[in-house]
Amino acid sequence: MFRRVFRFYYDGFRKMTWGRKLWGIILVKLFIMFAILRLFFFPDLLKRDFSSDEERADYVLEQITNP
Amino acid sequence: MYWNKSLILNHMLESIDMSLVDWSRGQFALTAMFHWIFVPLTLGLSFIVAFMHTIYVKTGDEEWKRITKFWMKLFGINFAIGVSTGIILEFEFGTNWSNYSWFVGDIFGAPLALEGIFAFFMESTFIAIMFFGWNKVSKRFHLTASWLTAFGASLSAIWILVANAWMQHPVGTAFNPDMARNEMTNFWDVIFSDVAVNKFLHTITSSFLLGSVFVIGISAWFLLRKREVLFARRSTVVAAVFGVIAAIATIATGDTSARIMARKQPMKFAAMEALYEGQTHAPLVAIGAMRTDTTKRLNPQEEFIFKIEIPNALSYMVFLTPNGYIPGISDLVYGNEEQGFMPYEERIERGAVAIQTLKELKKAKERGDEATYSALREKFNDPVWLDEYYQHFGYGYYKGRELKELIPNVKLSFYSFHVMVILGGHFLIISIVALWLSLKNRWGNHKWLLWVALITMPMPWIASQAGWVLTELGRQPWVVYELMPTISAVTRLKPAAVQLTFWIFLATFTVLFIAEIKIMVTQIKKGPGGK
């Protein structure tokens, strides 16, 4: 079963013609998104800067109660 | 730049820079609008492909196989370029809108997690079978994969639309003041709120319509060039049938959407009709152009240079009677006791009390003042206090600010609504004409009609984007309706940092968009082939 599924996907990718270009675009896009944008420009600030939910809540409370 | 913790803290208590809010909104709008180029075509085309595939399996006619494969290829290109562009929105939630993403809590988390588990994996698996399955799996299993891809795509859309609907109309949740976040109290209230159900139906039916107009337009191009005539005519019939049904459903759900908006978001409703003074027997502006008048009480105020009205239609649309009172922007801002609208000044005062209560609760907790803390905490469980004060929480941020900040951009709301409605009507007509003439075997005999179909092809994107502009911009200044405005939701970063990522996105998206168009056009020019 596993072999058949593997063969199905393997053959599908191998016989790809115009789809190869699309996969190229997808991979470049994912690289830009996760290896560059996510890593250097878009950290999850609350997750990165605070170690517990209580600290995060405290920070956000400070923010939203000081308009 | 903004990966520096100290920078955030330094800016924490500084007054909010409006250019930061504008750039953050601009960045989010750019990403969302780019994402929305791909999503509706994926939703619409997936069902059209499934219908064509069904006809092939039923008839065994090889021409239908060519037709299915061609549209499947265009679906694949669109899916590949568009896939994961929505993930950038989630990056922005965590970086640029961190207060918001914490405040909404599991309302966003739960639906998006469900999207990931159920829809994304289902979609990915069955798309592979759909593309690789020709002559590899049984015809029926292959067809099932096409249908499951289509349903999987729509299922993906449910969850994000539910989350958006909650932002428009927050229900099924309770605010936890200790954690500064909303917690779900009733999952079913969240997913089956009338706003969520109608938003989902209006979005998917309008996307089906977009897919239909796309297929009719491309087919018209083949007919104009007298290439692949049978392919083009058959494609047109399927798309036109689907298009007529989708257009009628889009209009019906749009009508319901307006009725819900009039009750739940009266400011957006008044803005989209540029109605400043409320009235019974309110007319619907069918078409109009505006200029800004800065001498009026609500400064600035839009005035019509010209307009064509349908008498009583607005009141009738909402209340099914011309006697229904439609509040204008002035009624909402300055209040109208007779009609039960509290003035914004009062709502601001009450909101400020709610914010102050939350602030005092935090302080009491910090200094260990248990008695004060318990008394204040109790308020957040008291339905009367919640109704009198917490309900106006977001207005409290506008204490000392100008009232006009609480009014959305009237001109943009008006034009986006009217562009969407006028184009929607045009798509219905095109679909009916294409279907009627196709059934008479005369679609393609009138060159000018084919040109109209071809020129119409990009218009559903304009209509669809205009719909979202009205939804999101007409809701301003709120991110979570009446609870959290943009000025409170935004992370206090340096505007220059947000500008930088805005331009990076613009460049990346432009390249991706050009790639999509180029690959798509190349494949369209090649035609279905395989004869």
Side-chain angles (χ1 to χ4, degrees):
Chain A
M1 176 67 183
F2 177 75
R3 200 180 157 81
R4 278 182 62 195
V5 172
F6 174 78
R7 196 79 211 164
F8 177 83
Y9 279 91
Y10 178 76
D11 282 348
F13 282 113
R14 202 167 50 88
K15 288 176 183 163
M16 226 178 228
T17 50
W18 55 272
R20 282 172 201 266
K21 194 183 276 180
L22 293 180
W23 272 103
I25 292 173
I26 291 173
L27 293 175
V28 169
K29 190 173 60 178
L30 289 177
F31 176 79
I32 293 173
M33 280 170 54
F34 287 96
I36 301 173
L37 292 176
R38 178 65 162 174
L39 211 59
F40 297 106
F41 295 94
F42 289 95
D44 187 328
L45 295 176
L46 295 179
K47 202 176 264 182
R48 187 198 64 183
D49 294 342
F50 304 99
S51 54
S52 68
D53 277 355
E54 283 67 30
E55 283 181 35
R56 292 179 193 113
D58 202 44
Y59 168 77
V60 174
L61 269 175
E62 189 68 36
Q63 295 270 303
I64 66 173
T65 53
N66 286 289
Chain B
M1 283 299 170
Y2 49 52
W3 41 96
N4 183 338
K5 181 178 175 179
S6 60
L7 182 146
I8 306 166
L9 298 175
N10 287 344
H11 282 261
M12 200 171 79
L13 297 174
E14 283 181 15
S15 62
I16 194 83
D17 181 343
M18 284 313 284
S19 76
L20 165 67
V21 177
D22 292 342
W23 277 105
S24 302
R25 284 180 59 203
Q27 183 199 57
F28 196 86
L30 174 72
T31 318
M33 289 177 95
F34 179 71
H35 181 53
W36 199 251
I37 291 172
F38 306 101
V39 176
L41 187 60
T42 298
L43 297 179
L45 212 46
S46 61
F47 273 95
I48 293 174
V49 167
F51 283 124
M52 290 167 167
H53 197 169
T54 306
I55 299 172
Y56 164 61
V57 172
K58 287 265 178 206
T59 61
D61 182 343
E62 287 297 307
E63 182 64 18
W64 279 110
K65 185 177 178 182
R66 289 175 72 236
I67 293 170
T68 307
K69 283 183 114 174
F70 175 78
W71 295 111
M72 198 183 273
K73 190 190 288 184
L74 298 193
F75 166 82
I77 295 167
N78 182 66
F79 185 83
I81 309 274
V83 74
S84 71
T85 49
I87 293 174
I88 301 173
L89 294 170
E90 290 187 43
F91 294 174
E92 290 169 15
F93 286 146
T95 304
N96 302 83
W97 302 97
S98 57
N99 294 341
Y100 154 82
S101 42
W102 183 263
F103 183 78
V104 298
D106 55 0
I107 313 305
F108 245 73
L112 292 181
L114 280 171
E115 176 185 344
I117 294 163
F118 293 118
F120 183 75
F121 286 109
M122 185 171 150
E123 219 176 296
S124 309
T125 309
F126 289 108
I127 278 181
I129 298 171
M130 193 169 116
F131 279 97
F132 299 158
W134 295 104
N135 306 322
K136 294 265 179 63
V137 294
S138 75
K139 276 188 177 178
R140 287 202 172 271
F141 183 60
H142 193 203
L143 176 62
T144 307
S146 291
W147 278 106
L148 287 174
T149 299
F151 281 110
S154 290
L155 199 63
S156 296
I158 286 181
W159 306 109
I160 189 72
L161 292 172
V162 163
N164 181 274
W166 183 84
M167 290 160 66
Q168 310 281 346
H169 178 55
V171 287
T173 55
F175 180 65
N176 178 344
D178 294 314
M179 296 306 288
R181 67 194 319 184
N182 286 280
E183 291 167 354
M184 206 180 293
T185 51
N186 191 326
F187 178 72
W188 305 111
D189 280 356
V190 175
I191 64 164
F192 287 123
S193 83
D194 50 359
V195 177
V197 170
N198 197 73
K199 181 176 287 292
F200 172 69
L201 293 175
H202 190 55
T203 306
I204 58 158
T205 52
S206 63
S207 299
F208 294 165
L209 181 55
L210 181 143
S212 303
V213 175
F214 176 77
V215 172
I216 294 171
I218 303 279
S219 303
W221 180 80
F222 279 103
L223 290 173
L224 277 167
R225 296 180 70 93
K226 299 197 188 315
R227 274 182 63 194
E228 300 286 356
V229 173
L230 181 60
F231 153 85
R233 282 179 188 268
R234 285 186 173 182
S235 298
T236 305
V237 172
V238 174
V241 171
F242 194 49
V244 171
I245 297 166
I248 293 168
T250 303
I251 292 167
T253 52
D255 179 57
T256 312
S257 182
R259 203 167 297 128
I260 293 170
M261 188 203 299
R263 292 188 164 90
K264 306 259 160 76
Q265 296 184 324
M267 177 58 90
K268 187 195 284 182
F269 191 78
M272 81 178 194
E273 274 296 299
L275 184 71
Y276 281 87
E277 305 300 331
Q279 59 187 101
T280 57
H281 298 84
L284 178 77
V285 179
I287 194 166
M290 285 182 289
R291 64 160 170 248
T292 306
D293 186 339
T294 52
T295 62
K296 292 285 171 67
R297 183 162 70 139
L298 278 163
N299 176 16
Q301 182 165 327
E302 307 302 338
E303 280 214 332
F304 284 100
I305 303 166
F306 85 93
K307 61 180 169 180
I308 299 169
E309 293 179 331
I310 306 169
N312 301 324
L314 201 61
S315 290
Y316 195 84
M317 189 164 91
V318 178
F319 297 102
L320 301 177
T321 160
N323 298 322
Y325 185 88
I326 306 291
I329 294 171
S330 296
D331 294 282
L332 298 163
V333 173
Y334 297 111
N336 180 332
E337 211 176 332
E338 193 184 325
Q339 297 294 333
F341 296 108
M342 186 187 285
Y344 275 2
E345 289 288 6
E346 176 65 23
R347 301 193 78 175
I348 288 169
E349 287 303 325
R350 292 182 182 218
V353 170
I355 292 172
Q356 189 58 30
T357 307
L358 185 61
K359 195 173 183 173
E360 283 167 12
L361 179 131
K362 180 177 181 288
K363 280 184 185 165
K365 195 176 173 187
E366 280 167 358
R367 64 174 185 268
D369 181 352
E370 194 59 42
T372 309
Y373 168 79
S374 298
L376 293 172
R377 183 70 181 80
E378 195 49 45
K379 289 187 177 185
F380 286 90
N381 295 327
D382 174 8
V384 177
W385 188 85
L386 290 174
D387 194 46
E388 283 185 5
Y389 295 98
Y390 180 70
Q391 194 198 135
H392 311 283
F393 189 87
Y395 288 90
Y397 294 99
Y398 290 87
K399 197 171 169 66
R401 300 178 83 104
E402 291 187 67
L403 285 177
K404 68 181 180 189
E405 288 183 49
L406 285 158
I407 303 169
N409 187 318
V410 174
K411 233 179 212 170
L412 263 173
S413 303
F414 175 86
Y415 286 128
S416 55
F417 170 65
H418 287 78
V419 162
M420 177 184 69
V421 170
I422 290 166
L423 286 178
H426 172 61
F427 305 147
L428 174 64
I429 293 167
I430 278 281
S431 304
I432 290 173
V433 172
L435 179 60
W436 177 253
L437 291 178
S438 291
L439 293 176
K440 298 256 171 202
N441 214 16
R442 279 170 26 211
W443 177 249
N445 293 357
H446 308 282
K447 241 181 167 181
W448 69 272
L449 267 177
L450 296 176
W451 274 109
V452 171
L454 184 60
I455 294 165
T456 301
M457 199 185 73
M459 292 182 190
W461 274 274
I462 298 171
S464 195
Q465 299 275 1
W468 278 110
V469 167
L470 172 66
T471 303
E472 299 303 298
L473 203 130
R475 182 189 48 181
Q476 290 303 313
W478 309 114
V479 178
V480 180
Y481 195 64
E482 295 187 333
L483 294 179
M484 177 171 256
T486 49
I487 53 172
S488 161
V490 75
T491 310
R492 297 173 195 192
L493 307 164
K494 278 190 173 167
V498 186
Q499 282 179 39
L500 174 70
T501 45
F502 177 91
W503 296 117
I504 290 174
F505 283 156
L506 189 61
T508 314
F509 293 161
T510 306
V511 170
L512 277 175
F513 185 66
I514 291 169
E516 153 118 2
I517 298 291
K518 224 176 145 193
I519 299 170
M520 195 79 106
V521 168
T522 307
Q523 293 303 327
I524 291 168
K525 279 183 179 168
K526 279 186 185 170
K531 253 185 178 168

